[in-house]
Amino acid sequence: MRKDKPSNTAYKVAMNIITLGAKPGMEKVLPPGIVEATEQLLLASGVAGATSIRWSRSRRMVSVYEAFDWMMPGQFEAFAHRKAFCERQVRDGIGAGATQVLVLGAGYDTMGWRLAPEFAGVNFFEIDRPATALLKTKGIKAMGQRDNLHLIPEDLGMRKLVDVLKANQSWDQTAQIVIAAEGLLMYLPPEAVRDLFFQCAAIAGTGSRIAFTYIGTGADGRPDAGRWTGLVLWILKVTGEPWLWSIRPEELDRFLEETGWTNAPELAGSTGRKGVEFFGVARR
Ligand SMILES: C[S@@+](CC[C@H](N)C(=O)[O-])C[C@H]1O[C@@H](n2cnc3c(N)ncnc32)[C@H](O)[C@@H]1O
């Protein structure tokens, strides 16, 4: 992932969401308003033009995605489930008393912008590398700023999460929070993932939760993308966005315990694997 350029994977996820909006039946899975808000954001930020958006929301594009689904079976639709999973976690977490939501590696995700007016008493924070976050800030300004949505342009590889949040005047260090790390962890080196969970534990009050997605480790020790793992990993590497971290689901309990969390599959609802990703939830 080039650090000085807007994230290509964030762009791909956003375009995927728009195309999923054109697939019959996906409206039952996708969070309400997500397709329209994503289109608006990509246009307003200049991340995508009207022609690409129009093409993305066509049935023909659905067929293109489906034609390539053999490489990572189920992954096209999995993005809809992933978005629904994170939003469910955030809504449930707020329902259980959280007053802050922190989205790590937020990319062009629109959850904060969509939910901020509905939950006026909750502060939403998003962190992404400056190149991506600044483009998004431009888009959000054009779409309508939310007083309780805070976009923070920071590279978490360069500055500690704890320090980033301490420096933010709106951040309440004692609050119960929900953290979302969607489609992020596989791109970080193992030591950075461990450190990130430690830091998240340090900023999360009792009752907080973290929702995340991850890639499982295969029998050969590599991130497991299914039958075509070798090809997928090679493509990711040559396109500059290699997967660096994965974990076996049966090792998650221990990893979370060691980093200050308790695995909470009971909070996750329908977890398990969707496409090539697993969904996880842990609590403090
Ligand atoms: C695959 S995208 C996912 C975006 C979003 N979570 C979604 O699912 O729509 C991964 C995001 O993580 C961000 N990211 C990766 N490493 C990061 C770092 N060290 N600090 C902050 N953001 C990072 C990228 O810029 C990118 O926007």
Side-chain angles (χ1 to χ4, degrees), residues 10 75 101 267:
Q75 191 55 33
V101 173
L267 293 180

Side-chain angles (χ1 to χ4, degrees), residues 1 7 9-10 13-14 82-83 103-109 127-129 132 154-157 182-184 187-188:
M1 220 177 269
S7 166
T9 52
V13 176
R82 190 170 110 175
K83 290 285 170 204
V103 183
L104 301 172
Y108 305 118
D109 180 69
I127 301 181
D128 208 301
R129 287 194 174 118
T132 304
E154 283 288 352
D155 185 333
L156 293 172
E182 182 196 344
L184 170 71
Y187 297 104
L188 305 178

Side-chain angles (χ1 to χ4, degrees), residues 123-185:
N123 266 314
F124 292 80
F125 299 82
E126 296 186 353
I127 301 181
D128 208 301
R129 287 194 174 118
T132 304
L134 294 175
L135 271 182
K136 186 172 185 177
T137 302
K138 180 180 156 202
I140 295 283
K141 251 188 206 151
M143 289 164 75
Q145 192 74 52
R146 316 296 202 199
D147 288 344
N148 55 337
L149 172 62
H150 313 272
L151 269 56
I152 307 175
E154 283 288 352
D155 185 333
L156 293 172
M158 310 287 281
R159 206 168 158 214
K160 292 256 179 213
L161 175 65
V162 177
D163 296 334
V164 169
L165 293 173
K166 237 186 234 165
N168 191 296
Q169 290 189 341
S170 306
W171 181 258
D172 174 359
Q173 295 188 50
T174 61
Q176 184 177 322
I177 63 178
V178 183
I179 303 170
E182 182 196 344
L184 170 71
L185 303 177

